Amino acid sequence: GPIIDYEGNIVNTRKHFGIIPYDVGNRDLQQCADALIRLRAEFLFSQKRFDEIEFHFTSGHSFSWKEYCSGKRPIPLGNRVEFVTRSRIEMDYNSLRDYLDLVYTYAGTISLAAELKDASEFEIGAVIITPGSPGHCFIIVDEAIDEEGEKVFKLVEGFTPAQSIYMLRNPANKKNPWHKLKKGPIQTASYLFTKYKLKKFE
């Protein structure tokens, strides 16, 4: 299917091979770093690892889903963030989505790059990230060995404005989504990564 943006419009592009079936939301929030935050939160939620759903803001504050459900809310004050307490809410999927929309507002490639652990190689779960405003990132979701005995990878990303999370098509081979990755510049169907960090969530 096509990539859909947060207003429900089709994004005309040749960059994707398939769509990850998570909603985009109806505001311009779930962008590139946020797409990876979404994948991570959905994974932890599906594993019932609720206590581990926690992300950092660009301000440096960490903010967990548990804190959100206990009523804690960020309030922007200039370039700082203060927290106030509201009433408690249930830890369910709806509150997870509301929590993530807040995280998307205050997080980005800079905070995500700072929060992630260093990775040493391209592997499933590795994140290639250029922190900045704007920066960009993608995550490796699958790996295999091709006919020549080389490792190849499937890559997933989000983009700006907020749009469907999608699997990248290989610019060199439109018929398959497998990419060879080498240290050094990485050209995907949507972005040229020159200076980037190789990271992972854990």
Side-chain angles (χ1 to χ4, degrees), residues 52-198:
E52 294 176 53
I53 300 176
E54 179 172 350
F55 300 97
H56 285 77
F57 295 166
T58 306
S59 64
H61 295 93
S62 72
F63 186 52
S64 69
W65 182 37
K66 210 171 180 178
E67 288 174 308
Y68 176 82
C69 291
S70 74
K72 192 173 178 183
R73 295 289 178 279
I75 305 285
L77 286 174
N79 53 9
R80 293 181 304 126
V81 177
E82 300 276 323
F83 289 92
V84 295
T85 304
R86 305 270 189 256
S87 49
R88 296 183 68 86
I89 53 172
E90 285 298 310
M91 287 187 88
D92 59 19
Y93 189 75
N94 285 339
S95 74
L96 178 69
R97 276 297 286 117
D98 292 341
Y99 159 76
L100 286 172
D101 275 351
L102 262 182
V103 172
Y104 300 159
T105 305
Y106 294 104
T109 51
I110 294 170
S111 56
L112 187 61
E115 164 178 328
L116 294 171
K117 313 280 184 291
D118 288 331
S120 54
E121 58 183 333
F122 299 119
E123 59 188 347
I124 293 173
V127 171
I128 285 73
I129 186 162
T130 297
S133 303
H136 196 48
C137 53
F138 65 78
I139 187 167
I140 297 173
V141 296
D142 201 2
E143 68 178 60
I145 305 289
D146 70 5
E147 299 93 42
E148 292 142 36
E150 287 196 58
K151 272 191 180 182
V152 287
F153 305 93
K154 285 182 178 174
L155 320 177
V156 165
E157 71 175 15
F159 212 75
T160 307
Q163 54 194 259
S164 313
I165 304 173
Y166 53 86
M167 182 173 294
L168 277 161
R169 134 189 335 267
N170 181 345
N173 181 350
K174 302 278 194 293
K175 292 190 172 56
N176 89 51
W178 294 98
H179 293 69
K180 288 183 183 175
L181 296 176
K182 303 262 189 294
K183 297 282 167 82
I186 297 172
Q187 175 71 64
T188 71
S190 72
Y191 194 84
L192 172 62
F193 291 85
T194 49
K195 292 179 179 158
Y196 57 86
K197 298 177 189 298
L198 185 56

